[in-house]
Amino acid sequence: MNQTLPPSSVIEALLAELGPLAVLAGDDVPVRNHNDYSGLQASPPLAVVRPANTAGVAAAMRICHEHGVAVVPQGGLTGLCGGARAPAGQVALSLERMVGIEEIDSAAATMTVLAGTPLETIQLAATAAGFFCPLDLGARGSCAIGGNLSTNAGGNRVIRYGMAREMVLGIEVVLPNGIVVTSLNKMIKNNAGFDLKHLFIGSEGTLGIITRVVLRMFPKPASAMVAICAAKDYGNVLTLLNSARQNLGPLLSAFEVMWPDYWQFATTQAPGVSNPLKGDNTAYGAYVLVEALGTDPVHDAQRFESWLGGLLESGVVPNAALAQSLADGRAFWSIRDASGELHPLWPSHLAFDIGLPVACMDDYARRCREVLQARIPSVQALFYGHIGDGNLHIIVYQPGAAEQPKALVDGIVYGLVREYGGTVSAEHGIGTLKRQWLGHARSPEEIELMRVIKKALDPQALLNPGKVI
Amino acid sequence: MNQTLPPSSVIEALLAELGPLAVLAGDDVPVRNHNDYSGLQASPPLAVVRPANTAGVAAAMRICHEHGVAVVPQGGLTGLCGGARAPAGQVALSLERMVGIEEIDSAAATMTVLAGTPLETIQLAATAAGFFCPLDLGARGSCAIGGNLSTNAGGNRVIRYGMAREMVLGIEVVLPNGIVVTSLNKMIKNNAGFDLKHLFIGSEGTLGIITRVVLRMFPKPASAMVAICAAKDYGNVLTLLNSARQNLGPLLSAFEVMWPDYWQFATTQAPGVSNPLKGDNTAYGAYVLVEALGTDPVHDAQRFESWLGGLLESGVVPNAALAQSLADGRAFWSIRDASGELHPLWPSHLAFDIGLPVACMDDYARRCREVLQARIPSVQALFYGHIGDGNLHIIVYQPGAAEQPKALVDGIVYGLVREYGGTVSAEHGIGTLKRQWLGHARSPEEIELMRVIKKALDPQALLNPGKVI
């Protein structure tokens, strides 16, 4: 490390090693590499390096390491917490040229891909091979699989298929010092020493740069059943959840709860969304989208319908709508996805991605709403989320405010998270935006252990410094 | 650390802190604490410490750390690779008094247990609460959950539920320096910083001692279908596997392949095992036990039968037997479990637990058998395993040999593992027995990274030294 070298020195070394196509500096850095989706202020990096292969990533890391220059890995730049934003003076290392499916192994049901490959490309390749890639999120067209793993992405089907972490069998990673660790395991069972991949998955590019991935593929579902169920109160939501677990078993693929505030917003204000429930349905305590994916179109649908009929008869579900077509199913999902339509209506609204033990979610929502209303005049707050996974989303907006009261709302939302033993990030990660709140979800001993690991792998703090911890 | 203190000094300090019930030294160390199930020579530890709670584990670790005395964690002592065996001069730290279910959370579908709790106690508690604990292995009555996690136990239902790792949401762990890291997360989604639990799961007690665990519980299956299918060759086994994945989907819970050598042994020599296949069935290339677990006894059985009927009709499966009762199902499983009956027939036989990419398993088995037969006169070799998970078990025996040719067979089996990109341990772990073969399954860079992590967490190498790496 030589801190006294001028910035031009590292750029020259990178150019000499990787060539002009791979190294853009100064005004040549594309605007897209100035930021991610976090809403933080844009920040042009010293340079952006775009290696064509793992050897190029390793060379770039080695050079930056030798020059004492910090590196920020970049994928599809769709992260929401600032993890891929490079502060001034740091080098952005983009995986955008490392795109492609390297191998599909039908017997092992695995796919080996380069880390810059967009998620949607992977989904389509799995489908073309007769399999299914269950990882799915709104940014599928632009997010890269390396970033999905770095943030351990979640999405709508975690209740059935798990987080991104659960879909990975092997990775290749470049360490801060430029060493390449190739661990492209294709076996579900491999207990030969520590399982290194989990160290890099979910650590937001602070311990190494993921360059290749072995993903599991799953059987393609042949049937999809979707229903919207109303419930009197949260107690009945939990009864419904247990019934769904027990009766739909491993077919249960989504259990999305919407509190009345969210339901009213989505069905009356969101463009293109209609209310599928008949009769007056403004008085329920919660609304649930239940989805099951099966392998037998005829029998699965019959069973789903008869299960739902039983719940209507017993009163656990006083009102429900069952999708009769793919179009119905899409329409039901559009209610749940209406949160994406909020930007024009509520510009700069605050959005949260917290986790809570399932049993106390409604209690949390009630108290959070009360405190927000007591402290912020005319505040709007919407609650919804993947309840079966312990994940609650919250949207907060103060109409007419010159600036949204972010610090105040952060304090209220994350203060209560600590009280209920929840987490400040269920799926989006920590990045820089939530770093000050990490102590609300993790103990001092947990954070100290993260620091010990960070220091062991990156003693000079040159890989994505200032992120997570 | 004070290496010059006599051994009595650490024992006195442990006694003073933990009391005589928790510390047994010298001849008072029970014989059971001298060894695990690895078959290595018994070795009495300096002392065995049996704390009653996490604080006691932390105190014991702190004292041993201060005295520079190495500690070996012990659970149910059913491990097969020597990971829980304490060499002379080391202290065994047994979790045997830390037994019990602390909490069952039905809404979250989780259970919090002490690490010394036997697996079977956990299975029964899950069942009593209306849930299912899918982790299962032969040693269920005596193995402890802490040991199951330390070795990332597998078992028969990994194809559906994953390894032990996948069933864990949170852990509490005591670090080598006595610091307690409590991370008893109950949420499926929690992306607040590095996921620390995966560092300790599967690292065989070399990085920390697991003291408490939050386990996921699953819906109780309401139907079980079991069949034995013959296949002409391994190509047809792969066709059957893909058909099972596609048609049974997430209900598929076991796919156990037995090569003809194993099948002949089990159905003709193992006591109490009968052959359920009609007609001459000695000429097939493989035999498969397929199991599915569902939620609807009537429809699931019909579907399973009709799926199997289609395979018989198409010729993929030329011969099959479908269990008509629970007793039938148990009888079919007894063929697969007959390997446990080998000890009286083939004393001191050699047993292997390797992993291979699914596509090349038959090729591996054929070549391994050829080399064994060429180099070891009258050798017997049986091949069987959890093929859907990439896990192959091998049993090797030379009748009449004064001592089984372990070094020679190890070299043949693990040499071919390296060639095929497999692993030397699919589920049993490395311990001391397979340490010399770790380099056949992991690259120098992977092993070096393991060392970096070990050194960061245990710089004095006082926790389970000499195990894994």
Side-chain angles (χ1 to χ4, degrees):
Chain A
M1 184 171 81
N2 189 335
Q3 294 284 14
T4 62
L5 288 173
S8 60
S9 159
V10 71
I11 295 170
E12 277 165 27
L14 288 166
L15 273 167
E17 177 79 28
L18 295 154
L21 187 62
V23 183
L24 303 174
D27 292 345
D28 294 336
V29 173
V31 171
R32 77 177 287 273
N33 298 97
H34 292 194
N35 213 349
D36 56 17
Y37 275 31
S38 57
L40 290 162
Q41 208 185 340
S43 166
L46 180 64
V48 58
V49 182
R50 312 178 297 183
N53 51 40
T54 301
V57 176
M61 282 306 301
R62 205 172 50 241
I63 289 165
C64 290
H65 192 257
E66 282 163 9
H67 286 77
V69 172
V71 172
V72 178
Q74 295 190 336
L77 292 161
T78 58
L80 296 166
C81 298
R85 178 177 167 276
Q90 302 190 357
V91 166
L93 194 151
S94 172
L95 281 291
E96 66 199 70
R97 288 171 68 207
M98 291 179 60
V99 170
I101 313 289
E102 291 200 323
E103 189 210 48
I104 288 184
D105 181 334
S106 294
T110 61
M111 185 191 280
T112 307
V113 304
L114 292 168
T117 310
L119 176 57
E120 196 167 40
T121 304
I122 291 167
Q123 292 173 336
L124 293 172
T127 303
F131 288 92
F132 178 58
C133 165
L135 184 63
D136 191 33
L137 47 146
R140 67 185 71 79
S142 39
C143 64
I145 189 69
N148 296 150
L149 299 197
S150 295
T151 54
N152 186 27
N156 291 330
R157 296 197 177 108
V158 172
I159 197 171
R160 165 140 169 202
Y161 295 98
M163 303 287 278
R165 181 185 300 284
E166 270 84 45
M167 302 171 198
V168 181
L169 292 178
I171 61 172
E172 177 182 76
V173 69
V174 177
L175 298 181
N177 58 8
I179 300 276
V180 179
V181 181
T182 302
S183 192
L184 294 171
N185 168 65
K186 281 163 63 170
M187 295 162 288
I188 290 175
K189 286 172 152 177
N190 189 347
N191 276 347
F194 309 166
D195 196 329
L196 299 168
K197 64 177 177 287
H198 288 300
L199 205 54
F200 300 97
I201 300 171
S203 55
E204 304 185 38
T206 61
L207 300 178
I209 300 181
I210 297 171
T211 47
R212 287 198 286 171
V213 182
V214 180
L215 291 169
R216 291 180 70 173
M217 300 190 294
F218 292 80
K220 210 185 279 189
S223 66
M225 290 70 67
V226 193
I228 297 281
C229 303
K232 189 164 69 75
D233 55 29
Y234 192 69
N236 279 312
V237 170
L238 293 185
T239 305
L240 176 60
L241 174 59
N242 262 332
S243 173
R245 282 174 176 151
Q246 202 59 54
N247 289 276
L248 305 176
L251 304 191
L252 179 63
S253 55
F255 192 90
E256 305 289 312
V257 176
M258 295 162 271
W259 272 257
D261 41 46
Y262 181 89
W263 180 262
Q264 293 310 324
F265 158 78
T267 56
T268 63
Q269 292 186 57
V273 173
S274 60
N275 181 346
L277 293 179
K278 292 201 165 51
D280 173 26
N281 58 73
T282 55
Y284 300 119
Y287 302 81
V288 186
L289 183 153
V290 183
E291 185 194 73
L293 298 174
T295 57
D296 182 332
V298 177
H299 288 108
D300 292 339
Q302 286 171 359
R303 268 177 70 176
F304 190 85
E305 195 170 344
S306 111
W307 167 70
L308 192 60
L311 289 164
L312 281 160
E313 215 162 283
S314 71
V316 170
V317 172
N319 197 344
L322 176 66
Q324 303 294 338
S325 64
L326 284 176
D328 276 1
R330 275 195 296 272
F332 291 6
W333 268 107
S334 75
I335 308 172
R336 168 60 184 78
D337 293 339
S339 52
E341 309 295 331
L342 266 164
H343 280 278
L345 298 169
W346 292 357
S348 305
H349 66 265
L350 306 169
F352 296 88
D353 155 48
I354 64 167
L356 291 162
V358 179
C360 64
M361 280 207 173
D362 189 54
D363 201 39
Y364 175 97
R366 187 182 48 72
R367 283 190 55 202
C368 186
R369 193 184 297 110
E370 279 169 13
V371 179
L372 288 168
Q373 285 169 349
R375 309 227 3 224
I376 304 169
S378 70
V379 72
Q380 301 283 319
L382 311 183
F383 294 80
Y384 65 104
H386 321 290
I387 300 313
D389 316 323
N391 186 185
L392 183 68
H393 291 303
I394 312 172
I395 286 167
V396 181
Y397 184 66
Q398 185 180 26
E403 199 174 340
Q404 292 297 311
K406 181 171 185 322
L408 178 60
V409 177
D410 276 2
I412 293 168
V413 168
Y414 296 135
L416 284 168
V417 161
R418 170 182 261 175
E419 202 177 305
Y420 282 91
T423 180
V424 298
S425 173
E427 55 185 2
H428 297 165
I430 298 295
T432 52
L433 267 186
K434 295 189 189 169
R435 205 167 60 127
Q436 70 174 116
W437 303 107
L438 185 60
H440 279 50
R442 300 293 190 190
S443 66
E445 292 80 13
E446 288 175 284
I447 294 171
E448 177 55 27
L449 183 52
M450 293 180 202
R451 278 191 222 284
V452 166
I453 293 162
K454 170 70 175 172
K455 203 169 169 191
L457 268 70
D458 185 17
Q460 295 180 54
L462 289 175
L463 186 58
N464 222 2
K467 311 291 166 64
V468 186
I469 47 173
Chain B
M1 184 172 81
N2 189 335
Q3 294 282 18
T4 62
L5 288 173
S8 60
S9 160
V10 71
I11 294 170
E12 277 165 26
L14 289 165
L15 273 167
E17 178 79 28
L18 295 154
L21 187 62
V23 183
L24 303 174
D27 292 345
D28 293 336
V29 173
V31 170
R32 76 178 287 274
N33 298 96
H34 292 193
N35 213 348
D36 57 16
Y37 275 33
S38 56
L40 290 163
Q41 206 185 341
S43 166
L46 180 64
V48 59
V49 183
R50 311 179 298 184
N53 52 40
T54 301
V57 176
M61 282 306 301
R62 205 172 50 242
I63 290 166
C64 290
H65 193 255
E66 283 163 8
H67 286 77
V69 172
V71 172
V72 178
Q74 294 191 336
L77 292 160
T78 59
L80 296 166
C81 299
R85 179 176 167 276
Q90 303 191 357
V91 166
L93 195 151
S94 171
L95 282 292
E96 65 198 71
R97 288 172 67 207
M98 292 181 59
V99 170
I101 314 289
E102 291 201 323
E103 190 210 47
I104 287 183
D105 182 335
S106 295
T110 61
M111 185 192 281
T112 308
V113 304
L114 293 168
T117 311
L119 176 58
E120 196 167 40
T121 305
I122 291 167
Q123 293 173 336
L124 294 172
T127 303
F131 288 91
F132 178 57
C133 166
L135 184 62
D136 192 32
L137 46 146
R140 68 186 70 81
S142 41
C143 64
I145 189 70
N148 295 149
L149 299 196
S150 295
T151 54
N152 185 31
N156 290 331
R157 297 199 175 105
V158 172
I159 196 171
R160 165 138 169 204
Y161 294 99
M163 303 288 277
R165 180 185 300 284
E166 270 84 45
M167 301 171 199
V168 181
L169 292 177
I171 61 170
E172 178 182 76
V173 70
V174 176
L175 299 181
N177 58 7
I179 300 277
V180 179
V181 181
T182 302
S183 194
L184 293 172
N185 169 66
K186 282 162 61 170
M187 294 163 289
I188 289 175
K189 286 172 153 178
N190 189 348
N191 275 347
F194 309 166
D195 197 328
L196 298 169
K197 64 177 177 287
H198 288 299
L199 206 52
F200 300 96
I201 300 171
S203 55
E204 304 185 40
T206 61
L207 301 177
I209 300 181
I210 297 170
T211 47
R212 287 197 287 171
V213 182
V214 180
L215 290 170
R216 292 180 73 174
M217 299 189 294
F218 292 79
K220 209 185 282 191
S223 66
M225 290 71 65
V226 193
I228 297 281
C229 303
K232 187 164 68 76
D233 54 30
Y234 193 69
N236 278 312
V237 170
L238 293 184
T239 305
L240 176 60
L241 173 60
N242 262 333
S243 173
R245 282 173 175 153
Q246 202 59 53
N247 289 275
L248 305 175
L251 305 192
L252 179 64
S253 54
F255 192 90
E256 306 289 311
V257 176
M258 295 162 271
W259 272 257
D261 40 46
Y262 181 87
W263 179 263
Q264 294 310 325
F265 157 77
T267 56
T268 63
Q269 292 188 59
V273 172
S274 60
N275 181 346
L277 293 179
K278 291 200 166 52
D280 173 27
N281 58 74
T282 55
Y284 301 119
Y287 303 79
V288 187
L289 184 153
V290 184
E291 185 195 72
L293 297 174
T295 58
D296 182 332
V298 177
H299 288 107
D300 292 339
Q302 285 171 0
R303 266 176 72 177
F304 190 86
E305 196 171 341
S306 110
W307 167 69
L308 192 59
L311 290 164
L312 281 161
E313 215 161 286
S314 72
V316 171
V317 173
N319 196 346
L322 177 66
Q324 303 294 337
S325 64
L326 285 175
D328 276 2
R330 275 196 296 271
F332 290 7
W333 269 107
S334 74
I335 308 172
R336 168 60 183 76
D337 293 339
S339 52
E341 310 296 331
L342 267 166
H343 281 278
L345 298 168
W346 292 357
S348 305
H349 66 265
L350 306 169
F352 296 88
D353 155 48
I354 65 167
L356 291 161
V358 178
C360 64
M361 281 207 173
D362 188 54
D363 202 37
Y364 175 96
R366 187 182 47 74
R367 282 190 55 203
C368 187
R369 192 183 299 109
E370 279 169 13
V371 179
L372 288 169
Q373 285 169 349
R375 309 230 356 230
I376 305 170
S378 71
V379 72
Q380 302 283 318
L382 311 183
F383 294 80
Y384 65 104
H386 321 290
I387 300 313
D389 316 324
N391 186 185
L392 182 68
H393 291 304
I394 312 171
I395 286 168
V396 181
Y397 184 65
Q398 186 180 26
E403 198 174 342
Q404 292 296 311
K406 182 170 186 321
L408 177 60
V409 177
D410 276 3
I412 294 167
V413 168
Y414 296 135
L416 283 168
V417 160
R418 169 182 262 175
E419 201 178 304
Y420 281 92
T423 179
V424 297
S425 173
E427 54 185 3
H428 297 166
I430 297 297
T432 52
L433 267 186
K434 296 189 190 170
R435 207 167 59 128
Q436 71 174 115
W437 303 107
L438 185 61
H440 279 49
R442 300 293 191 190
S443 66
E445 293 80 13
E446 288 175 283
I447 294 172
E448 177 55 27
L449 183 52
M450 293 180 202
R451 278 192 222 283
V452 166
I453 293 162
K454 170 70 175 173
K455 200 167 172 194
L457 268 70
D458 185 17
Q460 295 180 54
L462 290 175
L463 186 57
N464 222 3
K467 311 293 167 63
V468 185
I469 48 172

